[in-house]
Amino acid sequence: MTVGERIFHLLEEKGMSQKEFSDKTGIATTTISDWRKKNTNPGSDKIMLICVALEISPEELLSGVTEDSTRGRTMDYMVIPKGTEERELIELFNGLSWFDRNRLIEYAH
């Protein structure tokens, strides 16, 4: 099963229309329709948006491995929208040296 096919299968399973899916992801309905009509897959820039909307892991979307599998369950994913304070904090943190990161974590604890 391709990623595009898996998306439509999950939409059907969740009772979600393409319009609802479009609203949740910000992906144009025409783009979503093209995945089905042209038998194509979404671009890598859309994967996390799709996973959040469908409440699944990237692994489940890309490989079909489901929750009852233990493979890959140690990973956790989070989508943080641009322009939020949380995103700003993470970007600032990423710019720190390892020493300053450790000091900040100690301070936070």
Side-chain angles (χ1 to χ4, degrees):
M1 183 181 286
T2 68
V3 174
E5 290 169 336
R6 193 168 291 113
I7 290 169
F8 290 108
H9 173 77
L10 290 164
L11 288 175
E12 186 176 312
E13 195 175 86
K14 294 176 180 289
M16 187 184 302
S17 70
Q18 287 186 34
K19 172 73 171 114
E20 287 176 281
F21 182 62
S22 172
D23 291 343
K24 285 186 174 197
T25 60
I27 301 169
T29 54
T30 54
T31 301
I32 296 166
S33 293
D34 282 348
W35 297 338
R36 177 173 275 161
K37 290 177 188 172
K38 298 177 182 177
N39 197 28
T40 58
N41 293 315
S44 60
D45 59 326
K46 308 276 190 274
I47 297 299
M48 291 307 296
L49 296 170
I50 293 166
C51 290
V52 170
L54 295 176
E55 299 175 342
I56 60 170
S57 71
E59 183 179 28
E60 184 175 348
L61 177 64
L62 298 173
S63 70
V65 173
T66 58
E67 282 185 30
D68 56 353
S69 170
T70 58
R71 188 177 129 211
R73 289 292 149 217
T74 58
M75 297 298 290
D76 190 11
Y77 301 90
M78 183 182 295
V79 176
I80 302 172
K82 292 179 182 176
T84 62
E85 289 177 337
E86 292 87 352
R87 178 77 172 247
E88 183 180 5
L89 281 171
I90 290 172
E91 289 172 353
L92 289 170
F93 181 83
N94 285 337
L96 295 174
S97 68
W98 286 106
F99 177 77
D100 288 338
R101 285 181 182 195
N102 287 329
R103 286 181 50 205
L104 183 59
I105 289 170
E106 289 296 319
Y107 179 76
H109 285 287

